[in-house]
Amino acid sequence: MSNRLTEPPTGADEPRIGVFVCHCGTNIASKVDVHDVCEYAGTLPGVAFSTEYKYMCSDPGQEFIAAAIKEHKLNRIVVSACSPLLHEDTFRNAVAKGGLNPYYFHMVNIREHGAWVHEDKASATAKSKDLVRAAVYRIVFHEALERKRVSVDPKVLVVGGGIAGIHAALTLAEAGKKVYLVEREPTIGGHMAQFDKTFPTLDCSACILTPKMSKVKSHPNITLWTYSEVAEVDGFVGNFKVKVKRKPRYIVEDACVGCMDCIDVCVFKEAKFEDEFNLGLSKRKPVYIPFPQATPQIVTIDPDTCIEVKTGKCKKTCVEICGDRNAIDFSQKEKIEEIEVGNIILATGFKTYDPARSPEYGYGRLENVYTGLEIERLINSSGPTGGHVVCRDGNKPKTVGIIHCVGSRDEKSNKWCSRVCCMYSLKLAHLIKEHTGAEVYNFYIDIRTPGKGYEEFYDRLQGEGVHFIRGRVSEIADWIVSPEEEGKLIIRVEDTLSGFVRRIPVDMAVLAVGLEPRPDAQEVRKMFNISCATEGWFLERHPKLAPVDTFTDGIFIAGGCQGPKDIPDTVAQAGSAAAQVMALIDKGYVELEPNTAYIDEKECSGCKSCIPLCPYTAISFDAGSLKAVINEALCKGCGTCVASCPSGSISQNLFEDAEIYSEIEGVLADV
């Protein structure tokens, strides 16, 4: 039970409540009789002043509140308006400007809870009165609270070395901040490193990306750890302690010069293991470098295929050729680096949809069905075919079909639009035609080209003779009905513009697969204590007002881990995340909301039942006192521990028993 105020204050502290009712333009006023609510509020016990205003959140509205506090000697304020998520801070600041502690304030949401959910004005008005009455009852028991400050460590961790992580790291480093960039793969670059050109300008992807990759490696403010993963995160905003697992590369990174002689002399004369970077379209040896521009330019030894690592019985020709550099070290073990940072940016990216989950398209069964990313590698001059777009038999395709929305906008797979598939399909159509001269068909549901220069690129493709057929492809098959279909893939589609089903034979089919959250998104979410949307994308704090913030202070998201987006949007979001971090660093401290839970030690039995229930890992057990302890910096005031404590020893600021019971009493007073 709470030890706080249980009876209304009297004497000089006797409540003088001011109620301010907002019209919110016509958002509230069209459904709620604001004047009636205002007059009713003036009749409630303890209310010394009530008024209405068209836009209470505007500057004049805030000034009005501050002036009324002084003029009418108000010591409690109720604002009846829209969502506290949008404007609670706005009105707290106005209350503070009036000389009152900002926590002598309560906000009532009569827009979403009244105007927007009632068709009948009388019902909406009656409900608004109930809500205002409840607020007036509860605010009598509010007490002054103070925000606490914690300092912010200026070092930053960026997780993920794709274009989002690279841009965020460089932005921070250029501003003089120390950055740790952690990437799980042997090189940074992400998906963008696999592309040949970028839409709509057809810039060489490597020409854009590799200078930034090199800059990351050489920047004095960036510590780059590739082939590494975050293993553990502890702490809170401004003061995170992170353990990074560095996987054994069996290479002394400082000694390797990237000469790649070890690859040439490997006992495997021919490459025979699947090359992950080329999506299995080529082979590599156990000692390898992902691609020529990989950063860092250091080879990696794959422990799953290297004979020496697996059996210890290799001739070790790689060690021999490395000579005095001694860069190869088979004794390496996994090691943990511990760092302290003040903020974290997550840029862990996305995965592409596996079209084998849509068997009607024949991926994995019909040999000339490719994904868009595989075609990117075929087109790329550093790819497995040296930039030649060829079928599995080595011949150039004469006809190519590109199928849009594979794994996107589909009830059977992913409902969401992947945002980039239309544009990369158009880009591939252009590049395939340029490389092969083939007849190219695009099968689409809708063409979505919302970016700068995107619609113009679509117009350009139409002028280049690329065919566009509107309709979802029902099947790609290899059964034929006429001699001219011999050896072809048959694309069956209902042409919704012509109104009949067509059979179009092609030599190559390209599936424009959609984007999905990474398979380990839930594990990452738990480790960093953030939220995911139902689809699995990392959840931002607010889609419009806080698109890179998470619900955990000090942790930000950028790029494809937050949802499908193209490169320009990814870079913009990464810059935004870096700016948010810099704002915290330069301020030097963060203020913590005081609506946290607290423990009455005398009542705590030390049962520990609250500890696993806390979603923010804010509660620990003090072995000395045998009591639970709440870290105020981590507590988000969700109230889970308060509701579950069997001894009733946990309470929460702003949600004391007296406040809650009075609010309930206020709601039911007119029943």
Side-chain angles (χ1 to χ4, degrees), residues 302-354:
D302 178 6
D304 295 329
T305 56
C306 175
I307 294 175
E308 177 60 22
V309 176
K310 291 173 69 178
T311 67
K313 296 178 180 177
C314 182
K315 294 178 182 175
K316 294 191 281 191
T317 50
C318 52
V319 176
E320 192 176 313
I321 195 71
C322 194
D324 294 338
R325 282 194 293 271
N326 290 318
I328 298 179
D329 178 9
F330 286 108
S331 67
Q332 281 188 356
K333 304 292 181 188
E334 180 180 291
K335 64 178 181 180
I336 299 291
E337 302 272 5
E338 296 189 25
I339 57 175
E340 294 183 358
V341 296
N343 292 278
I344 298 171
I345 296 176
L346 293 178
T348 52
F350 60 89
K351 71 178 281 288
T352 54
Y353 176 76
D354 179 5

Side-chain angles (χ1 to χ4, degrees), residues 20-95:
F20 299 81
V21 188
C22 181
H23 289 239
C24 197
T26 56
N27 268 310
I28 293 173
S30 65
K31 285 293 180 185
V32 175
D33 187 337
V34 173
H35 184 69
D36 191 19
V37 174
C38 180
E39 284 198 333
Y40 174 74
T43 67
L44 294 172
V47 175
F49 178 71
S50 67
T51 189
E52 59 188 282
Y53 192 70
K54 197 165 187 179
Y55 292 106
M56 201 63 77
C57 61
S58 64
D59 284 347
Q62 294 177 54
E63 294 289 343
F64 186 31
I65 293 173
I69 291 172
K70 295 172 181 172
E71 181 181 349
H72 299 281
K73 296 183 171 41
L74 305 176
N75 56 19
R76 302 284 192 282
I77 301 298
V78 172
V79 173
S80 178
C82 57
S83 168
L85 191 64
L86 287 175
H87 282 305
E88 191 170 57
D89 277 347
T90 303
F91 293 123
R92 278 182 178 162
N93 291 335
V95 170

Side-chain angles (χ1 to χ4, degrees), residues 527-542:
M527 184 185 302
F528 290 92
N529 203 18
I530 62 173
S531 302
C532 279
T534 51
E535 301 90 355
W537 304 106
F538 293 160
L539 188 63
E540 65 283 344
R541 177 169 287 189
H542 191 282

Side-chain angles (χ1 to χ4, degrees), residues 417-429:
C417 172
S418 292
R419 292 189 61 189
V420 294
C421 312
C422 281
M423 285 305 298
Y424 83 62
S425 295
L426 297 177
K427 178 191 72 175
L428 291 178

Side-chain angles (χ1 to χ4, degrees), residues 573-606:
Q573 198 181 32
S576 173
Q580 296 278 65
V581 169
M582 280 190 279
L584 283 174
I585 294 172
D586 290 346
K587 189 177 181 182
Y589 64 87
V590 291
E591 289 187 330
L592 305 177
E593 278 294 326
N595 59 332
T596 54
Y598 61 91
I599 294 177
D600 182 348
E601 286 195 6
K602 293 177 183 174
E603 300 292 334
C604 178
S605 63

Side-chain angles (χ1 to χ4, degrees), residues 69 77 88-97 99-107 139 142-147 593-594 654:
I69 291 172
I77 301 298
E88 191 170 57
D89 277 347
T90 303
F91 293 123
R92 278 182 178 162
N93 291 335
V95 170
K97 200 171 180 180
L100 203 58
N101 184 286
Y103 295 92
Y104 282 130
F105 158 79
H106 190 70
M107 190 169 179
I139 202 168
H142 275 220
E143 295 182 63
L145 299 174
E146 297 297 331
R147 290 183 174 184
E593 278 294 326
L654 287 184

Side-chain angles (χ1 to χ4, degrees), residues 200 423 449 451-462:
M423 285 305 298
T449 54
K452 185 178 182 182
Y454 290 8
E455 188 68 15
E456 292 87 337
F457 188 73
Y458 176 34
D459 290 341
R460 175 181 172 180
L461 263 290
Q462 289 179 312

